[in-house]
Amino acid sequence: MGIRVENLSYSYSGNRKGKPVLGNISLEIARGEFAVISGAAGAGKSTLIKHFNGILRPESGRVTVDGLDAHTREVRRKVGMLFQHSQNQLFEETVYKEVAFGPSNFGIRGEELEKRVHETLSLVHLDVGILKRSPFSLSGGEKRRVALAGILALRPNYLVLDEPTAGLDPEGRAKLLGRLQNIHGKGVGIVVVSHNLEEVLPFAQKLISMEEGKVVFTGSPEEYLRAGHSPVPPLARLMKELNKKGADLREDIFTAEEALKELQKLRQEEPEKEKGISGKGTAETEVAEKGATETEIAEKGATETGIAEKGAAETEIAEKGPTEKGATETEIAEKGAAETEIAEKGPTEKGATETEIAEKGAAEKETQDNA
Amino acid sequence: MIRIEDLSYDFPDGAQGLKQINLKIERGEFLGIVGRNGSGKSTLVRHLNGLLKPTEGKVSINGMDTADPSNLLKIRQTVGMVFQNPYTQFVGTTLEEDVAFGPENLALPPEEIRERVDRALEVVGLENFKNHSPKTLSGGQSQCAAIASALAMKSECIVFDEISSMLDSRSREQVREIIRKLRKKVRTIVYVTHRLEEVLYADRVIIMDRGEIVREGSPKTVFKASDPGKFGLELPPVVELLNSLEARGFALDWARLASIENLAEEIWESGWKI
Amino acid sequence: MPETAFNYVYGDSLLHRLDPRTKLAAVMCLSILVFREESFAGMGLLISFFLLLTGISGVRLSFLLRSVRPLLFFIFFIFCFQLFSTKGTPIIPLPVLTPTYEGLRLGALLSLRFGLLLLYAALLTASTLPSQITNGIERLLRPLPLRHLGVTSFDLATMMSLSIRFLPSFLENAATIRAAQLARGLDLRHDLRRGITAIAVPLIKRSVLSAEEVTEAMESRCYQGQCRTSLHELRMQKLDWAALLVLGAFSLLFLAV
């Protein structure tokens, strides 16, 4: 069971001098897996996934989904696929019709259809009130969610998304990924195609990395980083750079906390310095101390870059008043505490807060396409 | 060189885009503008070269009012603009034609256009791709082409509007490298993004939200003092790490942190040695 | 396939080096000859001339033939239409549609004519950069009083080159939207009308959006549609005059014979 690709090759018919777009690819994505397919633009990712639901037929090799040939109509439904710029695929007069389009193409009618539309709408955190509106009157973010609902209404066993985070801001990205994790939790296999590895890597159970039409790596994200593949997320790269200078640090790092832990290793190896840390006491007092030095550093920065005009800007900020600054400083201290809390509570908790944000998001109209 | 006074802008459908913006941008400054989608960043920078006209208030470039149509050509020569989408801003059928498009519009003599095009392509490292069509260029190369196109206009100021947001990580790195290079040439740069790590080395950063400037200051103070999450932003892991390093009494020179390599060096040299 | 039809082939042949205006004039002149020609012998001569030019250009013949391929169906249609609709001596007597010898002759001639026109056009685009073609057209149009129609020759040239530039993107968008709707279970065989709406509406929306972005980018780079210059300023060389002379001689001879 799962999506199984065996010795798949594909080349555009018109393109004769170029290399094949896909060269002898074999891979397997298990049912219920969260897989990420990464690679630079033009590596063949989009061409590959179009074979998963039979939009493209393999020129040689075989693609099956749960044992069925990928070119069957049932697979079209089993493998829900959302392409890039999904906000642009809407065309119906109402959101209801838009979401119902998919299932009705597969012969779902009447009450069952209505039930499905409502069900999927809540999956993407949209309100029922939206159903009568025209999809074109929605914000960019809402359009994307309607498009996603349109696919989910097919009740797919696999959900394949091509560059779903493109053009989203960090908040939108976090919401989307939270939503995908939710859907994944319901037993749907997720395949995310992305050229921004660092954004999706922490979510992946399996990573498939492509280069020039070939699969160059398959495995867990940790294995990927340990094996020294590129591209590499920034923190892992930092570790790598330090290792080049002679340090001995782990390179399978995703979060700042992990990185900090690793960096502290550097310090512990030098006994005299270690005394320095222990003497410093709790983190809170450190932040307070740092507050004082902070403005000093900022001023130093100004003179260092040596741009005369900048001074003016700096004083402007200073004039804005110390009260504001003071306020924000206490904020940091508080935030610091909150941060460590999250760190302790672990990733499950984080997921929960993310969905919270997602729910809140419905109210906060994302007006991205207005711009 | 750029002065924005009490700028408000309403979209044609009546929605409010910008509220009471006051901002001065000095010659040679690198200004970062961050904020979530729909916060008004792009709307704001579209006022800098007169693509949008203020509903209220005034925007002036070197003293020229953007609301006066007779100034537009001069303003657009002064303030160049690079956009988000690598494909729709590539208007030529080949790379060199695309870069030449601007100077051609200024009706410059062919020899001068040639010289400007060659120069600009050299700066972005695409001199060997002159005759390439947009189809054969990567997204990163197309964005570099767009930068070259702005350079060929010899503008005093270049505005970059989310130029990395549609690129893959490799192309993004390529584009950032060029921005770093431009930085050294002391041009006025306005850089719009929602990736905070791209403006770490800016002279000044503003955070926008709901059409207003909500935070302003050096990257170091802004990213530490304000909780970016409040404004739909996210401290990238690298910045988070920087903050916790500093919380442990570590003085880092943020102006140098343009690249991971620099950061590694900074950490390595500043006493965390084995 | 659209990706190879009427594309430029990089080269440095005599044909490549000619001024686009010379080549435009030549194609126009040859098109007239092709249209006027009624005999197969004359057609043979025009085909030979085409082969000669192709030889000079260094462009592979198969490449040019591929440009015609998408329109083969259309040419075949013309042929059949003439074959069956022309009155005359029947080849085989059939009850409803009767192919005639006159129809065969006329159909063959028309198909040849149409094919040859396309081939000459393909040779032009293969040996001339799209921008050079628009440049040439712009220069040819410049003396016309277009201003009274509210456009300038620069506007027309820019519009033309933008169409050439964005046609592939348009096709690509169409393919993506088609794939997206197929993924939603759209079955073009069963419901063609709905299928067309499902593809056309998003495609138009998308194109309008792109057009807005293109406009912004152009305006930001000081486009005003009035006076512009060009990186490749056109200059007629001795070579061009010589080529026009040869062409003129060929045409006169052709008409005289």
Side-chain angles (χ1 to χ4, degrees):
Chain A
M1 296 299 241
I3 299 176
R4 182 188 279 252
V5 177
E6 290 163 79
N7 305 104
L8 169 65
S9 291
Y10 184 83
S11 59
Y12 289 124
S13 46
N15 173 4
R16 43 189 58 199
K17 57 186 171 212
K19 290 160 280 178
V21 182
L22 297 176
N24 200 25
I25 286 189
S26 292
L27 57 87
E28 206 174 337
I29 296 167
R31 200 165 184 167
E33 204 164 28
F34 197 125
V36 166
I37 301 178
S38 80
K45 308 182 296 291
S46 299
T47 311
L48 172 65
I49 59 164
K50 279 182 198 153
H51 286 89
F52 291 176
N53 67 349
I55 287 180
L56 292 180
R57 268 178 207 260
E59 276 170 13
S60 67
R62 220 164 92 92
V63 182
T64 57
V65 177
D66 295 344
L68 294 168
D69 188 284
H71 208 77
T72 53
R73 188 130 177 96
E74 176 57 8
V75 168
R76 239 339 117 79
R77 186 203 60 79
K78 266 178 180 280
V79 182
M81 200 170 286
L82 204 58
F83 288 92
Q84 219 178 338
H85 309 295
S86 58
Q87 69 272 28
N88 294 327
Q89 70 180 38
L90 310 180
F91 70 100
E92 292 278 21
E93 294 128 53
T94 64
V95 171
Y96 181 89
K97 282 188 182 172
E98 198 68 62
V99 179
F101 178 70
S104 67
N105 281 332
F106 286 95
I108 312 279
R109 300 272 181 278
E111 261 174 58
E112 169 67 11
L113 185 62
E114 204 163 316
K115 202 181 113 204
R116 282 217 188 172
V117 171
H118 283 90
E119 195 181 87
T120 42
L121 212 61
S122 67
L123 265 181
V124 296
H125 300 102
L126 283 172
D127 196 69
V128 208
I130 210 171
L131 284 175
K132 290 206 179 77
R133 288 175 62 190
S134 154
F136 302 117
S137 71
L138 307 178
S139 76
E142 287 166 336
K143 279 184 197 163
R144 278 174 185 250
R145 276 188 273 168
V146 170
L148 179 59
I151 293 296
L152 290 174
L154 297 172
R155 295 220 181 126
N157 305 71
Y158 303 88
L159 180 60
V160 183
L161 304 104
D162 195 1
E163 303 291 349
T165 59
L168 289 177
D169 60 17
E171 193 179 40
R173 196 165 59 227
K175 278 182 200 166
L176 174 76
L177 289 168
R179 228 168 266 144
L180 290 184
Q181 273 191 319
N182 250 340
I183 296 164
H184 180 235
K186 293 187 164 66
V188 179
I190 307 272
V191 181
V192 171
V193 173
S194 176
H195 56 216
N196 279 320
L197 191 58
E198 65 255 35
E199 288 177 0
V200 286
L201 200 56
F203 296 87
Q205 290 171 339
K206 176 186 261 170
L207 175 68
I208 296 161
S209 176
M210 290 183 68
E211 249 172 61
E212 295 183 354
K214 293 215 158 53
V215 170
V216 291
F217 173 84
T218 313
S220 73
E222 287 79 12
E223 281 166 356
Y224 174 85
L225 292 181
R226 263 181 251 137
H229 284 280
S230 72
V232 171
L235 282 178
R237 222 167 75 221
L238 176 66
M239 298 297 147
K240 209 174 206 166
E241 286 296 320
L242 285 167
N243 284 347
K244 266 193 217 160
K245 294 181 191 298
D248 181 24
L249 303 172
R250 273 171 52 204
E251 290 184 6
D252 50 343
I253 296 284
F254 301 108
T255 65
E257 287 109 278
E258 285 176 320
L260 193 63
K261 229 183 249 167
E262 282 302 300
L263 286 180
Q264 273 166 339
K265 265 199 218 155
L266 281 181
R267 217 166 190 188
Q268 278 157 9
E269 282 164 34
E270 200 175 14
E272 303 129 67
K273 291 249 165 109
E274 204 180 355
K275 278 179 210 160
I277 322 171
S278 56
K280 273 216 169 164
T282 64
E284 250 97 339
T285 53
E286 268 179 45
V287 177
E289 277 171 33
K290 203 201 56 195
T293 57
E294 200 182 283
T295 47
E296 273 175 43
I297 299 162
E299 275 165 30
K300 203 184 73 186
T303 53
E304 256 171 23
T305 46
I307 297 166
E309 288 99 320
K310 232 203 75 185
E314 206 76 39
T315 51
E316 256 182 51
I317 302 162
E319 278 165 25
K320 276 202 172 164
T323 51
E324 197 181 308
K325 213 168 186 183
T328 52
E329 230 133 50
T330 53
E331 263 176 48
I332 319 168
E334 280 166 25
K335 212 196 80 185
E339 243 165 39
T340 52
E341 256 179 60
I342 295 167
E344 279 162 24
K345 278 187 186 164
T348 51
E349 186 73 21
K350 215 169 181 182
T353 54
E354 246 155 32
T355 52
E356 262 176 53
I357 301 169
E359 278 160 24
K360 212 180 60 190
E364 289 177 11
K365 304 249 160 97
E366 299 154 340
T367 52
Q368 50 183 16
D369 263 15
N370 272 352
Chain B
M1 69 170 290
I2 296 174
R3 188 184 281 265
I4 300 171
E5 289 164 70
D6 297 319
L7 164 66
S8 293
Y9 178 77
D10 298 337
F11 287 107
D13 65 4
Q16 192 166 35
L18 296 171
K19 283 181 243 178
Q20 291 285 315
I21 303 273
N22 280 291
L23 185 67
K24 256 192 249 171
I25 303 170
E26 305 297 336
R27 188 158 290 127
E29 188 180 18
F30 187 118
L31 173 71
I33 303 182
V34 296
R36 71 175 105 213
N37 285 345
S39 62
K41 333 183 270 303
S42 295
T43 313
L44 174 60
V45 295
R46 274 168 177 65
H47 281 86
L48 300 182
N49 73 346
L51 283 177
L52 293 178
K53 308 259 176 311
T55 309
E56 262 170 61
K58 196 177 146 181
V59 178
S60 59
I61 314 295
N62 283 342
M64 296 174 284
D65 189 342
T66 60
D68 181 354
S70 67
N71 284 337
L72 272 188
L73 213 55
K74 193 90 187 89
I75 285 172
R76 288 182 180 154
Q77 275 179 64
T78 315
V79 180
M81 187 96 95
V82 182
F83 297 92
Q84 181 179 20
N85 191 331
Y87 304 104
T88 51
Q89 62 183 318
F90 198 114
V91 295
T93 45
T94 65
L95 176 55
E96 69 171 10
E97 277 168 22
D98 183 57
V99 178
F101 182 77
E104 284 175 352
N105 289 333
L106 302 178
L108 296 171
E111 304 77 48
E112 177 159 6
I113 298 177
R114 166 58 58 198
E115 204 221 284
R116 283 190 182 203
V117 169
D118 290 350
R119 263 268 188 73
L121 285 177
E122 218 172 285
V123 173
V124 299
L126 287 179
E127 59 270 37
N128 295 326
F129 291 83
K130 270 179 204 171
N131 291 315
H132 278 238
S133 74
K135 225 173 22 187
T136 59
L137 295 171
S138 73
Q141 286 171 328
S142 298
Q143 273 315 55
C144 291
I147 297 172
S149 301
L151 290 175
M153 296 295 276
K154 296 202 171 163
S155 343
E156 257 182 85
C157 168
I158 302 184
V159 177
F160 298 93
D161 187 14
E162 300 204 32
I163 56 166
S164 72
S165 75
M166 285 177 72
L167 303 179
D168 62 40
S169 26
R170 206 170 298 171
S171 298
R172 200 156 56 222
E173 208 42 58
Q174 185 184 5
V175 167
R176 283 180 191 171
E177 189 62 44
I178 286 166
I179 301 290
R180 252 173 255 149
K181 236 162 98 183
L182 292 184
R183 175 82 186 91
K184 283 183 203 132
K185 302 196 160 182
V186 193
R187 244 173 214 278
T188 312
I189 290 178
V190 178
Y191 193 93
V192 177
T193 181
H194 47 229
R195 294 176 190 275
L196 304 190
E197 67 267 33
E198 288 179 354
V199 289
L200 281 186
Y201 58 104
D203 295 315
R204 187 160 53 120
V205 172
I206 61 178
I207 298 184
M208 290 196 66
D209 197 32
R210 289 161 212 275
E212 287 177 289
I213 297 178
V214 289
R215 290 286 186 278
E216 178 175 10
S218 73
K220 195 166 177 160
T221 49
V222 168
F223 294 159
K224 205 170 310 176
S226 56
D227 175 13
K230 257 195 298 205
F231 308 115
L233 298 166
E234 182 183 69
L235 278 184
V238 174
V239 179
E240 234 176 278
L241 178 68
L242 286 177
N243 275 341
S244 21
L245 284 178
E246 293 208 324
R248 282 165 176 73
F250 216 82
L252 288 165
D253 179 4
W254 284 40
R256 276 198 57 205
L257 301 181
S259 68
I260 293 287
E261 288 74 26
N262 284 352
L263 176 60
E265 207 163 288
E266 194 89 1
I267 291 177
W268 190 248
E269 280 169 5
S270 56
W272 290 56
K273 287 175 194 143
I274 302 167
Chain C
M1 282 270 103
E3 48 205 299
T4 48
F6 296 101
N7 265 3
Y8 178 69
V9 181
Y10 192 79
D12 192 32
S13 72
L14 188 72
L15 225 58
H16 282 82
R17 274 178 284 141
L18 283 178
D19 190 288
R21 282 170 292 180
T22 309
K23 284 184 271 189
L24 282 166
V27 169
M28 272 188 262
C29 180
L30 288 163
S31 302
I32 294 170
L33 293 186
V34 169
F35 254 106
R36 281 180 48 102
E37 190 47 47
E38 297 285 343
S39 74
F40 284 103
M43 271 306 188
L45 193 57
L46 284 167
I47 291 172
S48 317
F49 192 65
F50 165 74
L51 291 175
L52 176 73
L53 290 181
T54 308
I56 295 173
S57 75
V59 177
R60 269 178 303 127
L61 185 63
S62 61
F63 183 88
L64 299 175
L65 287 172
R66 241 179 291 155
S67 294
V68 183
R69 207 168 50 185
L71 291 159
L72 267 184
F73 174 76
F74 187 58
I75 294 177
F76 182 69
F77 177 77
I78 294 180
F79 177 75
C80 290
F81 184 78
Q82 295 298 337
L83 179 64
F84 291 112
S85 71
T86 314
K87 291 200 171 63
T89 334
I91 302 172
I92 319 163
L94 289 174
V96 189
L97 292 168
T98 322
T100 60
Y101 285 105
E102 285 76 4
L104 182 68
R105 193 191 127 80
L106 200 60
L109 200 63
L110 274 177
S111 315
L112 263 179
R113 228 179 238 174
F114 198 64
L116 196 54
L117 278 182
L118 287 173
L119 284 173
Y120 272 121
L123 184 59
L124 171 74
T125 54
S127 63
T128 323
L129 277 166
S131 61
Q132 290 286 56
I133 297 178
T134 50
N135 236 338
I137 294 177
E138 188 273 309
R139 282 304 297 270
L140 290 173
L141 291 178
R142 213 185 279 180
L144 294 180
L146 291 167
R147 225 166 272 276
H148 302 299
L149 297 173
V151 286
T152 62
S153 57
F154 300 102
D155 278 328
L156 286 179
T158 310
M159 267 191 266
M160 214 157 24
S161 82
L162 285 177
S163 321
I164 296 171
R165 155 72 184 90
F166 285 104
L167 184 68
S169 316
F170 180 81
L171 294 175
E172 208 173 289
N173 284 342
T176 307
I177 291 169
R178 182 175 161 269
Q181 308 299 32
L182 287 181
R184 295 166 77 188
L186 174 70
D187 193 339
L188 285 167
R189 277 165 306 183
H190 280 130
D191 196 349
L192 188 63
R193 229 186 58 197
R194 194 144 185 240
I196 288 172
T197 328
I199 293 170
V201 172
L203 186 60
I204 292 168
K205 287 261 166 198
R206 203 81 222 259
S207 304
V208 169
L209 219 67
S210 299
E212 278 167 9
E213 285 179 18
V214 174
T215 312
E216 265 190 341
M218 286 172 59
E219 277 185 31
S220 294
R221 280 148 76 184
C222 295
Y223 182 73
Q224 14 84 20
Q226 297 303 313
C227 188
R228 349 179 35 226
T229 50
S230 171
L231 174 62
H232 310 283
E233 214 39 55
L234 300 181
R235 242 174 249 126
M236 293 289 276
Q237 311 283 350
K238 272 190 202 130
L239 192 67
D240 290 297
W241 298 118
L244 285 175
L245 212 68
V246 171
L247 181 76
F250 175 80
S251 310
L252 281 177
L253 258 168
F254 190 83
L255 292 175
V257 173

